[in-house]
Amino acid sequence: MKAYSVKELLKGNHLLQEVAVNGWVKTFRSNRFIALNDGSTLTNIQCVVDFEKFDEKLLKKINTGAAIKVTGTLVESLGKGQNVEIQANEIKIHGEADPEEYPIQPKKHSLEFLREKAHLRVRTNTFAAVMRVRSALAFAIHKYFRENGFYYFHAPIITGSDAEGAGEMFRVTTLSDKNPKLTEEGEVDYKEDFFGKETNLTVSGQLEAEAYAMALGKVYTFGPTFRAENSNTSRHLAEFWMIEPEMAFYDLDANMDLAEDFIKSVIGYVLEHCQEDLQFLEKRLLDEEKTKPQAQRSDMALIEKLKFVSENSFKRVSYTEAIDILRNSKPNKKKKFQYPIDEWGADLQSEHERFLVEKHFKCPVILFDYPAKIKAFYMRLNEDGKTVRAMDILFPGIGEIVGGSQREERLDVLKQKMADLNIPEEELWWYLDLRKFGTAVHSGFGLGFERLVLFATGMGNIRDVIPFPRTPQNAEF
Amino acid sequence: MKAYSVKELLKGNHLLQEVAVNGWVKTFRSNRFIALNDGSTLTNIQCVVDFEKFDEKLLKKINTGAAIKVTGTLVESLGKGQNVEIQANEIKIHGEADPEEYPIQPKKHSLEFLREKAHLRVRTNTFAAVMRVRSALAFAIHKYFRENGFYYFHAPIITGSDAEGAGEMFRVTTLSDKNPKLTEEGEVDYKEDFFGKETNLTVSGQLEAEAYAMALGKVYTFGPTFRAENSNTSRHLAEFWMIEPEMAFYDLDANMDLAEDFIKSVIGYVLEHCQEDLQFLEKRLLDEEKTKPQAQRSDMALIEKLKFVSENSFKRVSYTEAIDILRNSKPNKKKKFQYPIDEWGADLQSEHERFLVEKHFKCPVILFDYPAKIKAFYMRLNEDGKTVRAMDILFPGIGEIVGGSQREERLDVLKQKMADLNIPEEELWWYLDLRKFGTAVHSGFGLGFERLVLFATGMGNIRDVIPFPRTPQNAEF
């Protein structure tokens, strides 16, 4: 007897055939109706049990969470809620789930409770839906880049350079934790370490991606990156996945065009392929927001919001224009901002970004041409000598989802910038080589994958959109 | 003027149009023929320069490695070697490449020399071809799984458990390297570390993938994994990418079927999509092998070998049969094996695997049902009590490319096995939960991505198929 997935059976192609299906019991009502799910899709398949035909002992084992195999005839369903169901002829118990012990019972569990059970929470509808959408988004990303002439590039995870300065790093070592060998100067002798030098976990694959873009033209990374920062917020993880495209011969305008098209395309993909999960997540969000005051609820339901983003142009605003808008804004004049905006040059805080996106423009915003002083050394200096060709994409409810720039391609300007910031040239000799040999205008950006998943699923905490989150004091599983 | 990629122009759709193209100069012959490449494809586009129309100073800058933009008319080519070429009207130099300094000159460089220049080696035809094939293979993997109902799952990279024992691990820490705080017992106080416990880089995402398979049904990982082993061989990296599918309700036979179908499918994808690069790599391999004695040369050329694998069944042989074959083999009887095969139970060495694959069966081989003693604790014990439902896939020239098994789904058997091996239950409480609640037959395997790339490209050293290899004493870039 061939076993099918629930998803396949629900299509109804095997009507009146004998079929088998494996899955986990979601509920077992009235000793008669098993709702069975195998993770292939959100909807359960109903298996109808004529309890007189089965051993009572067996029926007692059909509890929520038990793994079973049902064999029977696929028929049209007369009940509401499903088109087809299985008239069970045979039931095999793979594994029981003691209702006294199994924590994932058919009732509402808080997301906080489920976070402690990260190995089981994916058995709930919410997390299964989130993780299916996450998987679809990841595929959409690869598909988009492949169809647009990009090559997937694996940046190194363990890095010998800490020059980028994007954040605090984790050290990677095989030295003795207590008594590492010291040099004559009394410092740890990293020559004795596995790689013969001090190494860390990468904070970004960008610099290495630039090397590849300057040969293959258009490349992207999609891999884990790390920040050893003590940020316990709903938007930060110590370990997260990042997508970093890097393109030779792209200026900042082309970079912004790409980023916008890319985001719209991948959101469009999940709208097309994940309707069922999105509808479920939309309802979850509506239920959650009912408990909040009106002012904190979303203007749009989840799917409407995704459609809005995928179909409307992002607003492009220079940093200088944004400062003007913020300076003259009501919250600034009424001193409602925690960090009031006085002068050009100020770094924008989350409250400012939210005002621009959620109150002023009410759509995704691309800010560009930031002051050089608040941005990284590798960004291309504008002719004005004080701004750089940087851009950030800000999303409602999420904040910064993309950060990118045109890269400084001029060897002399880059060297000067590094000297100003005390970045030793020896650290980045190979990065300078890219400007020495066949340099050209090039650009790229980074997109935090989990922030995209947050946006697409309507979840509120970044710990709930990655299977096993790593945060300060937490590396369980 | 719209700029096109070289790949797009070579299709010939823009004949007799004014076009622009950016790229890097491969060669500049007779002050007249520029071979230009932008990484989009292996073949260069020829740009024909009427040197009398251009400034001599500009022409002097057109050296190998320089980045330039050529604008001109796309015409049919009369010369051999290309169908179309550009009659250059305008040339802009983006960035020069001083021939006295630029190391990637149009001559043969050794792979060892290029390994020192990992940031520039991708500008050679060989490495560009390898990395394009690598990218295509990665996409083929995602495509295969998505089309077959799998969900992509991101296993954690930083792990708090070191119970799997697949190999030596790298420690991840933010503690002081020299003076970490100690406990009263004089041990390093990991409560003070970032995660509040000792953490390492993962050696495998399998255990976590099992948790997800027991909810989503079929999942796969594709991410970096690490081994802190001092292996300086042509087949080992300290950091490498691994693919690990895990399937609920799959027994070992289904697992072997999947692994074989999967490998054939992704090899088939590159055969279909990377012909040009594969032909180049095939020629490279033939040239390389010309320098070797006849006995060390491959029986088949690269593309023939890939076709053979994608079109023929893998030979399935039990460990017990394999031992019989090896025991009675000529090299064993003539004592040519470094590790002679006497008894059932011996671990197979590379020399034995190579004999089976390359001499005896002359095709990929799946070995299954290994002695429990030489395999990991989580593998499903057979009814004979001495073998486990493990399988390895062995490839010609590569050795083990896949290792997998049916997983032990019985709580009591798994606990006993862990006790025998002194693996504390507290370490893997969540892994045991998977057997406690709704357990079922399930299986999975791991495939080392770089070994697959080695096989598909015909390269000989694993350091040459990953952009920036990490090996003992080497974490440059």
Side-chain angles (χ1 to χ4, degrees):
Chain A
M1 182 74 47
K2 184 165 159 39
Y4 294 94
S5 70
V6 171
K7 188 175 184 178
E8 174 65 23
L9 290 179
L10 289 176
K11 288 180 190 160
N13 296 331
H14 304 282
L15 264 185
L16 303 182
Q17 292 175 20
E18 277 280 298
V19 297
V21 61
N22 292 293
W24 293 273
V25 176
K26 287 285 188 177
T27 56
F28 185 28
R29 271 190 306 124
S30 321
N31 236 8
R32 190 163 170 80
F33 302 106
I34 302 171
L36 194 70
N37 192 283
D38 64 356
S40 62
T41 189
L42 183 87
T43 311
N44 307 315
I45 191 152
Q46 176 160 287
C47 304
V48 184
V49 177
D50 183 352
F51 56 82
E52 293 182 345
K53 286 205 288 189
F54 291 89
D55 184 358
E56 207 175 322
K57 271 193 225 151
L58 181 132
L59 294 177
K60 282 222 171 103
K61 292 178 178 172
I62 304 177
N63 292 304
T64 295
I68 65 173
K69 179 178 188 174
V70 177
T71 309
T73 314
L74 191 72
V75 298
E76 281 190 67
S77 175
L78 301 176
K80 62 173 184 169
Q82 63 275 327
N83 296 321
V84 297
E85 62 190 20
I86 295 176
Q87 295 285 355
N89 296 330
E90 217 184 303
I91 297 174
K92 186 191 158 193
I93 310 284
H94 291 299
E96 301 175 50
D98 183 346
E100 301 293 317
E101 289 196 74
Y102 184 54
I104 312 292
Q105 292 300 321
K107 59 167 193 169
K108 197 160 172 54
H109 299 286
S110 77
L111 297 173
E112 291 75 15
F113 169 82
L114 291 169
R115 237 170 263 153
E116 306 288 313
K117 315 249 177 293
H119 62 309
L120 299 177
R121 65 178 179 173
V122 64
R123 301 182 181 196
T124 65
N125 282 338
T126 297
F127 282 95
V130 166
M131 295 306 164
R132 280 190 296 259
V133 172
R134 182 182 167 105
S135 171
L137 269 173
F139 185 73
I141 288 164
H142 286 297
K143 182 167 178 283
Y144 178 87
F145 284 124
R146 180 136 188 103
E147 288 175 356
N148 285 279
F150 282 71
Y151 296 104
Y152 184 27
F153 155 78
H154 286 124
I157 309 299
I158 298 172
T159 168
S161 99
D162 63 351
E164 209 223 325
E168 292 297 311
M169 297 175 105
F170 290 101
R171 197 164 73 254
V172 174
T173 182
T174 57
L175 289 177
S176 158
D177 56 356
K178 222 167 55 175
N179 299 310
K181 204 182 141 194
L182 302 185
T183 61
E184 284 181 9
E185 292 77 34
E187 297 302 316
V188 170
D189 187 1
Y190 282 106
K191 286 214 180 71
E192 298 284 317
D193 208 348
F194 188 90
F195 295 107
K197 63 194 293 197
E198 188 175 351
T199 51
N200 295 289
L201 289 179
T202 184
V203 292
S204 160
Q206 175 201 315
L207 305 193
E208 289 88 356
E210 285 185 55
Y212 264 57
M214 297 309 280
L216 296 179
K218 297 194 286 186
V219 301
Y220 71 105
T221 73
F222 188 168
T225 48
F226 305 85
R227 298 278 188 286
E229 271 150 32
N230 203 3
S231 308
N232 257 313
T233 83
S234 61
R235 296 191 309 156
H236 289 89
L237 292 166
E239 170 181 315
F240 58 100
W241 286 68
M242 189 141 72
I243 296 106
E244 298 183 279
E246 195 69 36
M247 302 76 64
F249 314 117
Y250 270 52
D251 62 14
L252 188 70
D253 288 326
N255 196 18
M256 291 192 282
D257 290 345
L258 175 77
E260 182 172 343
D261 186 57
F262 164 66
I263 292 176
K264 288 177 173 175
S265 167
V266 299
I267 296 284
Y269 183 92
V270 295
L271 279 170
E272 193 182 332
H273 292 90
C274 304
Q275 266 298 318
E276 192 186 33
D277 286 322
L278 291 178
Q279 280 166 19
F280 176 85
L281 292 167
E282 171 166 297
K283 191 169 168 309
R284 188 208 71 85
L285 183 60
L286 287 173
D287 288 347
E288 186 186 87
E289 292 197 331
K290 275 183 197 151
T291 66
K292 292 184 180 170
Q294 186 71 43
Q296 286 175 34
R297 297 182 198 169
S298 315
D299 289 343
M300 295 182 203
L302 179 62
I303 293 174
E304 189 187 358
K305 189 182 68 172
L306 298 182
K307 278 193 184 145
F308 180 84
V309 165
S310 75
E311 289 166 7
N312 287 284
S313 288
F314 297 1
K315 179 74 187 170
R316 299 189 190 185
V317 187
S318 75
Y319 167 88
T320 303
E321 292 170 77
I323 285 291
D324 280 345
I325 293 166
L326 288 166
R327 197 163 14 198
N328 297 317
S329 69
K330 235 189 242 174
N332 201 50
K333 289 183 169 167
K334 292 191 170 175
K335 308 207 180 300
K336 290 280 170 72
F337 283 142
Q338 198 188 337
Y339 299 89
I341 296 285
D342 299 327
E343 288 193 15
W344 191 95
D347 205 352
L348 299 187
Q349 305 297 324
S350 174
E351 57 182 346
H352 309 128
E353 295 177 351
R354 295 194 69 152
F355 174 81
L356 290 169
V357 171
E358 291 163 23
K359 304 292 175 195
H360 189 85
F361 290 111
K362 296 179 194 292
C363 73
V365 171
I366 313 185
L367 290 184
F368 62 90
D369 283 354
Y370 280 80
K373 288 204 170 140
I374 59 172
K375 287 290 182 183
F377 75 94
Y378 49 71
M379 296 187 177
R380 174 68 159 79
L381 195 63
N382 273 311
E383 307 312 319
D384 64 14
K386 62 177 193 171
T387 60
V388 286
R389 302 246 70 195
M391 64 108 169
D392 284 351
I393 302 186
L394 311 177
F395 258 43
I398 306 287
E400 183 190 322
I401 195 165
V402 159
S405 72
Q406 187 174 317
R407 316 308 187 187
E408 183 55 74
E409 85 280 13
R410 297 164 297 182
L411 183 63
D412 51 341
V413 181
L414 186 62
K415 276 186 168 176
Q416 184 58 52
K417 193 69 167 285
M418 286 169 61
D420 294 347
L421 295 169
N422 293 316
I423 302 172
E425 289 188 17
E426 311 85 77
E427 279 279 331
L428 290 176
W429 63 272
W430 59 272
Y431 189 67
L432 292 170
D433 266 7
L434 306 178
R435 278 69 184 170
K436 218 163 148 183
F437 305 122
T439 191
V441 165
H442 66 289
S443 298
F445 63 84
L447 175 139
F449 183 56
E450 281 74 19
R451 293 205 178 164
L452 182 66
V453 183
L454 263 188
F455 181 74
T457 58
M459 299 297 285
N461 192 313
I462 203 158
R463 293 173 176 82
D464 297 332
V465 300
I466 189 166
F468 296 99
R470 267 69 179 110
T471 51
Q473 299 298 310
N474 175 36
E476 193 59 80
F477 309 102
Chain B
M1 184 73 46
K2 184 163 158 38
Y4 293 95
S5 70
V6 171
K7 188 175 184 179
E8 173 66 23
L9 289 179
L10 290 177
K11 289 180 189 161
N13 296 330
H14 304 282
L15 263 186
L16 302 182
Q17 292 174 21
E18 277 280 297
V19 297
V21 61
N22 292 294
W24 291 273
V25 176
K26 286 285 189 177
T27 56
F28 185 26
R29 270 192 304 127
S30 320
N31 234 9
R32 188 164 170 77
F33 301 106
I34 303 171
L36 194 70
N37 193 283
D38 64 357
S40 62
T41 190
L42 184 88
T43 310
N44 307 316
I45 191 153
Q46 175 158 290
C47 305
V48 184
V49 177
D50 182 351
F51 56 81
E52 292 183 344
K53 286 206 286 188
F54 291 89
D55 184 357
E56 206 176 322
K57 270 193 226 153
L58 181 133
L59 294 178
K60 283 222 166 105
K61 293 178 178 171
I62 304 176
N63 292 305
T64 295
I68 66 172
K69 179 179 189 173
V70 177
T71 308
T73 313
L74 190 72
V75 298
E76 281 189 67
S77 177
L78 300 177
K80 64 173 184 168
Q82 63 275 326
N83 296 321
V84 297
E85 63 191 20
I86 295 176
Q87 295 285 355
N89 296 329
E90 219 184 299
I91 296 174
K92 186 191 157 193
I93 310 285
H94 290 300
E96 301 174 49
D98 183 345
E100 299 295 316
E101 289 196 74
Y102 185 54
I104 313 292
Q105 292 300 323
K107 59 166 194 171
K108 197 157 172 56
H109 299 287
S110 77
L111 297 174
E112 291 75 15
F113 170 82
L114 291 170
R115 237 171 262 153
E116 305 289 313
K117 315 248 177 295
H119 62 310
L120 298 176
R121 67 178 178 171
V122 64
R123 300 182 183 197
T124 65
N125 283 339
T126 296
F127 282 95
V130 166
M131 296 305 165
R132 281 189 296 259
V133 172
R134 181 181 168 105
S135 170
L137 269 174
F139 185 74
I141 288 164
H142 286 297
K143 182 168 178 283
Y144 177 87
F145 284 124
R146 181 141 187 97
E147 288 174 357
N148 285 280
F150 283 72
Y151 296 105
Y152 183 29
F153 156 77
H154 285 123
I157 309 299
I158 298 173
T159 170
S161 97
D162 63 351
E164 210 224 326
E168 291 298 309
M169 298 175 102
F170 289 102
R171 197 164 73 256
V172 174
T173 183
T174 57
L175 290 177
S176 159
D177 57 355
K178 221 167 54 175
N179 298 309
K181 206 183 141 194
L182 301 185
T183 61
E184 284 179 9
E185 292 77 36
E187 297 303 316
V188 170
D189 187 1
Y190 281 107
K191 286 214 182 69
E192 298 284 316
D193 208 348
F194 188 89
F195 295 108
K197 63 195 291 193
E198 188 175 349
T199 52
N200 295 289
L201 290 179
T202 185
V203 293
S204 161
Q206 176 202 317
L207 305 194
E208 289 89 356
E210 285 186 55
Y212 264 56
M214 296 310 280
L216 296 179
K218 297 194 284 186
V219 301
Y220 70 105
T221 73
F222 187 167
T225 50
F226 305 85
R227 296 279 188 285
E229 271 150 32
N230 203 3
S231 309
N232 258 313
T233 84
S234 60
R235 296 192 310 155
H236 290 89
L237 291 166
E239 170 182 315
F240 58 101
W241 287 68
M242 188 141 72
I243 296 105
E244 297 182 280
E246 195 69 35
M247 301 76 65
F249 315 116
Y250 270 51
D251 63 13
L252 189 70
D253 288 326
N255 197 17
M256 291 193 284
D257 290 345
L258 175 77
E260 181 172 342
D261 186 57
F262 164 67
I263 292 175
K264 287 176 173 175
S265 167
V266 300
I267 296 283
Y269 184 91
V270 297
L271 278 170
E272 191 181 333
H273 292 90
C274 305
Q275 267 300 318
E276 191 185 33
D277 287 322
L278 290 179
Q279 280 166 18
F280 177 84
L281 291 167
E282 171 167 296
K283 192 171 169 308
R284 187 207 73 83
L285 183 59
L286 286 172
D287 288 348
E288 187 186 87
E289 292 196 333
K290 275 183 198 151
T291 66
K292 292 183 180 173
Q294 187 71 40
Q296 284 175 37
R297 297 182 199 171
S298 315
D299 288 343
M300 296 183 201
L302 179 63
I303 294 174
E304 189 187 357
K305 190 181 66 169
L306 298 181
K307 278 193 185 146
F308 180 84
V309 165
S310 75
E311 289 166 7
N312 287 284
S313 288
F314 298 1
K315 180 74 188 167
R316 298 188 191 186
V317 188
S318 76
Y319 168 89
T320 303
E321 293 171 76
I323 285 290
D324 280 344
I325 293 167
L326 287 166
R327 199 164 12 199
N328 297 319
S329 69
K330 232 188 246 176
N332 200 49
K333 290 182 168 167
K334 293 194 169 174
K335 307 205 183 301
K336 291 280 169 71
F337 284 142
Q338 198 187 336
Y339 299 87
I341 296 285
D342 299 327
E343 289 192 15
W344 190 95
D347 205 352
L348 299 186
Q349 306 296 324
S350 175
E351 57 182 345
H352 309 130
E353 296 177 350
R354 295 193 69 152
F355 174 81
L356 290 169
V357 172
E358 291 163 24
K359 304 290 174 195
H360 190 83
F361 290 111
K362 295 180 196 288
C363 73
V365 170
I366 312 186
L367 290 184
F368 62 91
D369 282 353
Y370 281 82
K373 288 205 172 141
I374 58 172
K375 288 289 182 182
F377 75 94
Y378 49 71
M379 296 186 177
R380 189 26 161 115
L381 195 64
N382 273 312
E383 307 312 319
D384 64 14
K386 61 177 194 171
T387 60
V388 286
R389 302 245 70 195
M391 64 109 170
D392 285 350
I393 302 187
L394 311 176
F395 259 43
I398 306 287
E400 183 190 324
I401 195 165
V402 158
S405 73
Q406 186 174 319
R407 316 308 188 187
E408 183 55 75
E409 85 281 13
R410 297 164 298 181
L411 184 63
D412 52 341
V413 182
L414 185 61
K415 276 185 170 177
Q416 184 58 53
K417 193 71 167 284
M418 284 169 63
D420 293 347
L421 295 168
N422 293 317
I423 302 172
E425 288 189 16
E426 311 85 77
E427 280 278 333
L428 289 177
W429 63 273
W430 59 271
Y431 189 67
L432 292 171
D433 265 6
L434 306 178
R435 279 69 183 169
K436 217 163 151 184
F437 306 124
T439 191
V441 165
H442 65 288
S443 298
F445 63 84
L447 174 140
F449 183 55
E450 281 74 19
R451 293 204 178 164
L452 182 66
V453 183
L454 263 187
F455 181 75
T457 58
M459 299 296 286
N461 191 314
I462 203 158
R463 294 174 177 83
D464 296 331
V465 300
I466 189 168
F468 296 99
R470 267 71 181 110
T471 51
Q473 300 298 312
N474 175 35
E476 193 60 79
F477 310 101

